[in-house]
Amino acid sequence: MTAIALAVAATLFAWWFGTGAIFWLNGLARRARRWSVAAASGLLAAALAGIAATADRTTTGAAYLGFACGLMVWAWVELTFLTGLITGPNRAPAAPGLALAARFRLAVGAILWHELTILALTALVFALSWGGATMTGAWTMLMLWAMRSSAKVNIFLGVRNTYAGLLPEHMRYLASHFSAGRVNPLVWPALAACLVAAALLFAAAAGAGPAEATAFAILGTLAALGALEHAFLVLPVRSEALWSWSLGGRAAQLPDHRHPPSPHRPTPLPRAVAPTEAA
């Protein structure tokens, strides 16, 4: 149980601190954001090398290192997206009143290169570790991609809290593709699937040796966090408070989710902001 508890604590801290670090980096000046992407690209190369190096190891340390490397790959994906470096061919706000099919086509166009990059990197991580004894990094990437994709679909279809205010100014055109104020029914099976996955992974951890228990507990914690993130989409809470240390003055500008918004579709831009040149 000690191995499981340590893995849970480490994963929770990595999720909390890593998310806050990305928020903080995106609040920097444009030149600083460029340097942060350059530094993250160096870490990406190191993470890919680390995944390959740990694939044949069966230790607890290899499980942690594989997870950390998978998380660094994911952080690079998130950072290049939020800085506007890798997004999609559509960088214009969606006009109000569009049909669902038209809205979906524009929304996909807004993130297409980003999604293809995730798929390519996930395939690369699997290729680097396939057949090895430790694939924690690969499963970390796959789980993060699945949970984030589910959250994106639900935000598009409609949730109470879209968290559009967390978008950096140059990315706020994306908010026009969100739907707030009405919770779509897909949220609940998605949340349940995360909970079931977490339960199965923790059950597997309970009957495994230290190294495997660590890997299963890390993935189980990620699944549980996926359920929590889906719950944040529909509950009247301000989850941004968890990262207030990284948001600075932006935290005071975020909406109060304790009062439900009026149903509307899609979410209006937080301000009348046109998409600006990417970082």
Side-chain angles (χ1 to χ4, degrees), residues 3-69:
I4 294 176
L6 289 175
V8 170
T11 307
L12 289 174
F13 177 79
W15 169 78
W16 170 77
F17 182 78
T19 301
I22 290 174
F23 287 154
W24 179 76
L25 289 172
N26 276 285
L28 300 177
R30 180 179 170 186
R31 176 174 292 185
R33 291 200 303 269
R34 287 178 172 175
W35 282 109
S36 68
V37 170
S41 297
L43 290 176
L44 170 66
L48 293 173
I51 287 171
T54 58
D56 293 325
R57 300 182 183 180
T58 58
T59 64
T60 300
Y64 279 117
L65 183 57
F67 165 64
C69 290

Side-chain angles (χ1 to χ4, degrees), residues 7-8 11 63-64 67 136 140 143 213-223:
V8 170
T11 307
Y64 279 117
F67 165 64
T136 314
T140 294
M143 184 165 290
T214 297
F216 281 128
I218 287 171
L219 298 174
T221 306
L222 287 178

Side-chain angles (χ1 to χ4, degrees), residues 231-244:
F232 282 157
L233 297 177
V234 297
L235 294 176
V237 296
R238 294 194 65 176
S239 62
E240 310 97 298
L242 291 169
W243 299 283
S244 58

Side-chain angles (χ1 to χ4, degrees), residues 75-208:
W76 182 88
V77 169
E78 290 292 291
L79 189 61
T80 54
F81 177 69
L82 290 173
T83 55
L85 182 63
I86 301 177
T87 55
N90 175 28
R91 295 193 175 217
L98 292 175
L100 181 65
R103 287 184 54 237
F104 181 75
R105 185 174 63 254
L106 291 174
V108 170
I111 60 173
L112 182 59
W113 310 144
H114 168 67
E115 293 297 324
L116 292 176
T117 299
I118 294 175
L119 290 176
L121 282 174
T122 301
L124 177 58
V125 169
F126 266 92
L128 290 172
S129 55
W130 189 256
T134 299
M135 295 184 62
T136 314
W139 293 118
T140 294
M141 281 287 295
L142 186 62
M143 184 165 290
L144 289 172
W145 172 76
M147 294 187 303
R148 185 57 55 87
S149 295
S150 174
K152 288 174 182 174
V153 170
N154 279 290
I155 288 173
F156 171 79
L157 293 175
V159 291
R160 177 175 184 146
N161 307 320
T162 65
Y163 298 102
L166 290 173
L167 291 170
E169 185 170 327
H170 58 276
M171 296 294 290
R172 289 188 178 178
Y173 65 91
L174 290 174
S176 65
H177 304 290
F178 301 167
S179 299
R182 179 174 57 191
V183 177
N184 83 90
L186 184 62
V187 171
W188 308 112
L191 193 156
C194 290
L195 290 175
V196 169
L200 292 174
L201 287 164
F202 277 114

